[in-house]
Amino acid sequence: ILLIFTILILRWANPPFTSFTLREDWENLETERHDLKEWWTPSEQIPAHLQWAVIASEDQLFQDHSGFDIESIKEAIDERRKGERSRGASTITQQTAKNLFLWPDQSYFRKGIEAGITVIIELLWPKERILEVYLNIAEFGPGLYGIGKAADSEFGIHPTDLQPEMSARLAAVLPSPKRMRVEPPSPFAQKRSRWILKQMSQLSGIAYLPADTIENIDDIDPFNSDSLSVLLDEATLFEPGTDTVRMENLPDSLIHISPDTSLQQLTIDP
């Protein structure tokens, strides 16, 4: 009952913190914890292209589903059974539920709680509020929680002044914000942001890229199609002082590689 009441209140009240900001190792990041409310950007000040960018990146059926993308869930389950790398199937609503109340664990127990909270959020909040909260609590870089803080830290501007290319770059790092770089963008982040711009154009009907440019961009998300090799250009993947690269979306695996190792020499240790 307390949880339902809290979620109902959050339909109108902006949270000053989330479970993720409370768990964050701010000392290791060498930065101060910030109050989410101080950097909050209300929905009417969030550019339409930024909303399209995160929808294109994270949940292209956001406006159509009731909290769960059933087909993506089935695909993710099949990929895991086959031992294939899975991007995951969490919707924006599920990510909002996790970021607000839960912890970064892939257990079925946590997923079950997340599913229950997702149902409640979908029942009590309009889609506009879900997207507003998501954008104001999501992490866009190490310790950069919320689009207000991210836009200021990465570009020195308010979210209302973001350009579509900036929005796409911010959305591009959402799958792994502590490892992928917004500014200056790494080659992978740049490639994924161009894919996002193409998806934004197709979803919205607004030309965010020239037609001849769109034709040359693959339809498959680079985060899925490029697998491990492209992610190696993200300098922050390397654990400080080691030769180990930890892949966030491969929780049971470690890649051991030195900076001068060729892609052909990569080995994955289960």
Side-chain angles (χ1 to χ4, degrees):
I1 295 177
L2 178 60
L3 176 61
I4 295 175
F5 179 73
T6 300
I7 294 173
L8 179 61
I9 292 298
L10 289 175
R11 173 171 177 167
W12 298 281
N14 300 327
F17 57 82
T18 68
S19 63
F20 273 57
T21 63
L22 291 176
R23 293 171 57 90
E24 184 63 83
D25 187 351
W26 297 98
E27 183 177 350
N28 185 54
L29 291 176
E30 299 182 349
T31 186
E32 294 185 4
R33 184 196 310 272
H34 57 276
D35 187 326
L36 296 178
K37 293 174 68 174
E38 294 180 1
W39 292 92
W40 200 272
T41 305
S43 59
E44 61 269 17
Q45 295 182 19
I46 298 174
H49 55 72
L50 176 57
Q51 298 179 44
W52 282 119
V54 297
I55 289 173
S57 171
E58 300 300 296
D59 183 6
Q60 296 192 6
L61 297 178
F62 173 67
Q63 298 291 352
D64 300 320
H65 62 60
S66 298
F68 305 95
D69 184 343
I70 303 302
E71 289 302 316
S72 292
I73 291 174
K74 291 179 180 178
E75 291 175 5
I77 292 174
D78 289 340
E79 288 171 358
R80 289 190 179 185
R81 285 176 178 171
K82 297 175 183 177
E84 298 176 355
R85 179 171 178 265
S86 174
R87 164 67 175 85
S90 292
T91 63
I92 285 175
T93 313
Q94 288 176 277
Q95 292 182 51
T96 301
K98 179 186 72 175
N99 293 347
L100 273 173
F101 300 106
L102 303 174
W103 57 94
D105 179 39
Q106 295 298 318
S107 70
Y108 288 109
F109 174 72
R110 197 271 289 165
K111 281 289 187 181
I113 299 176
E114 176 188 294
I117 297 174
T118 297
V119 170
I120 298 172
I121 289 176
E122 283 281 344
L123 287 173
L124 298 180
W125 297 3
K127 289 288 188 178
E128 182 182 42
R129 178 59 176 173
I130 295 173
L131 193 56
E132 176 187 343
V133 173
Y134 174 76
L135 279 164
N136 280 283
I137 67 174
E139 188 178 17
F140 292 90
L144 298 181
Y145 291 92
I147 192 58
K149 182 69 173 178
D152 180 76
S153 298
E154 298 290 6
F155 302 113
I157 59 177
H158 188 272
T160 54
D161 297 320
L162 287 169
Q163 298 300 308
E165 295 79 7
M166 295 175 178
S167 293
R169 278 158 58 184
L170 286 163
V173 307
L174 285 169
S176 188
K178 282 189 166 54
R179 295 171 172 84
M180 298 161 72
R181 193 172 63 247
V182 173
E183 179 63 23
S186 67
F188 174 73
Q190 186 67 38
K191 180 176 183 178
R192 188 164 194 265
S193 68
R194 286 169 59 79
W195 174 82
I196 289 173
L197 286 166
K198 175 179 180 176
Q199 299 302 308
M200 291 165 59
S201 299
Q202 294 176 338
L203 290 168
S204 68
I206 301 171
Y208 289 108
L209 285 173
D212 56 343
T213 300
I214 289 179
E215 293 176 357
N216 296 323
I217 299 176
D218 201 330
D219 287 327
I220 302 175
D221 186 347
F223 198 84
N224 292 329
S225 63
D226 290 345
S227 190
L228 307 177
S229 60
V230 176
L231 287 175
L232 292 177
D233 70 20
E234 304 293 340
T236 52
L237 279 170
F238 287 97
E239 295 286 343
T242 74
D243 62 352
T244 297
V245 180
R246 293 184 181 274
M247 302 301 295
E248 182 175 285
N249 287 275
L250 286 176
D252 300 323
S253 302
L254 288 177
I255 306 171
H256 299 286
I257 179 175
S258 62
D260 58 350
T261 302
S262 69
L263 297 181
Q264 288 73 24
Q265 294 174 302
L266 280 176
T267 59
I268 300 177
D269 297 336

